[in-house]
Amino acid sequence: MSEQPSRPVALVTGAATGVGRAAAVRFAENGIDVVINYSRSEAEARETLAMAQAAGVRGLLAKCDVSDDAGVRKMIAEIEQTFGRLDILVNNAGTTFFVEHKNLKELTEDKWDRILAVNLKGAFFVTRACVPLLKKSPQAAVVNVSSVAGVRGWGSSIAYCASKGGLNTMTKSLANALAPEIRVNAVCPGPIDTRWLRKWMTEERIESIVSEYPIPRAALPEDIADTICYLAIGTTLTTGQLLVVDGGRTI
């Protein structure tokens, strides 16, 4: 194990692009060393790493599918060996399939299994593996990246909504189970203007969805990164909370 550095360390899952990248870079800009987890997008993950290191912090690439418990444990062991500590965990890795809610037949078992494996079980596997290191931190925090889909039941698919609803409940359960050493909160974004969303929706479709919101625009990854950083390092008494960031959609 390397000598323990003075800077805190954050692990961001699914950090190759989008919200994960924005959060990792924001942590780096705040002087926090970052672990960039990814499952497939190595080139983009390396770009995120370079952006973080440009802020003057240490970084580590960690390839791992969060639904693989053994792989998760191996990743956390590597973090301990490299940094000797972990202070912040952001469970951002997620997946979905766009299935019309009325089309029950198309929401097949394999789609259910993949969504629940990544969005719900994966967040639990990573959190569980991180607990021993997090408990050594004086201000440990877990931030789950959930969705308003888990609050309203409207989203890309019924399975996705269910996975995020489960993540919201698990956030509260873990906040109780891990207190007082580790705070656990979740951010629940509305639509986020990312490459991933634009893979499924045209700009016109996105604009039509958000046009009636009190703040009529989709979130940017940086908007959600602001909230992640607040829950991770901007508060010390907040735990078990679901912070909705959706331009007022759920008012």
Side-chain angles (χ1 to χ4, degrees):
M1 184 187 302
S2 60
E3 183 179 350
Q4 183 164 319
S6 59
R7 285 192 300 263
V9 177
L11 164 61
V12 183
T13 68
T17 61
V19 169
R21 169 179 285 185
V25 171
R26 191 62 52 85
F27 283 134
E29 292 170 346
N30 280 275
I32 298 170
D33 291 339
V34 290
V35 181
I36 309 299
N37 163 259
Y38 70 101
S39 61
R40 292 173 297 181
S41 304
E42 181 175 352
E44 290 89 344
R46 290 191 179 280
E47 290 175 0
T48 303
L49 178 65
M51 295 168 69
Q53 290 174 327
V57 302
R58 299 173 69 196
L60 175 69
L61 280 182
K63 182 178 181 179
C64 172
D65 184 329
V66 298
S67 68
D68 175 7
D69 190 30
V72 165
R73 294 176 185 274
K74 182 178 179 181
M75 174 176 68
I76 305 310
E78 183 180 7
I79 293 171
E80 183 173 18
Q81 183 176 9
T82 302
F83 295 101
R85 66 185 292 173
L86 182 66
D87 305 83
I88 299 162
L89 165 63
V90 179
N91 283 309
N92 172 69
T95 193
T96 193
F97 297 93
F98 280 76
V99 178
E100 173 63 36
H101 284 208
K102 293 182 179 180
N103 191 353
L104 301 182
K105 290 184 178 179
E106 188 180 338
L107 195 55
T108 55
E109 185 175 6
D110 62 324
K111 291 177 180 176
W112 266 104
D113 288 347
R114 182 58 183 163
I115 289 172
L116 292 178
V118 175
N119 297 2
L120 192 54
K121 290 169 61 178
F124 177 78
F125 290 161
V126 178
T127 302
R128 178 172 62 184
C130 289
V131 163
L133 277 178
L134 288 172
K135 282 192 171 182
K136 298 177 183 179
S137 172
Q139 292 187 343
V142 176
V143 182
N144 295 322
V145 179
S146 185
S147 170
V148 292
V151 178
R152 292 289 300 273
W154 183 93
S156 55
S157 68
I158 289 175
Y160 178 78
C161 295
S163 72
K164 294 302 187 177
L167 182 60
N168 289 346
T169 303
M170 189 171 74
T171 296
K172 294 177 177 292
S173 297
L174 287 171
N176 275 307
L178 301 180
E181 297 93 345
I182 304 171
R183 296 184 302 104
V184 185
N185 294 285
V187 56
C188 298
I192 308 170
D193 192 350
T194 61
R195 182 184 69 179
W196 178 84
L197 184 65
R198 288 177 178 269
K199 176 182 177 182
W200 300 97
M201 292 185 184
T202 64
E203 183 170 354
E204 291 75 17
R205 174 59 176 157
I206 296 171
E207 289 180 356
S208 71
I209 290 173
V210 304
S211 62
E212 299 300 321
Y213 295 2
I215 302 176
R217 69 171 177 87
L220 298 175
E222 290 75 17
D223 293 318
I224 310 308
D226 286 342
T227 308
I228 291 170
C229 283
Y230 164 70
L231 292 172
I233 62 176
T235 178
T236 59
L237 198 60
T238 305
T239 196
Q241 302 304 303
L242 312 175
L243 184 47
V244 175
V245 181
D246 68 346
R249 167 189 175 186
T250 50
I251 291 175

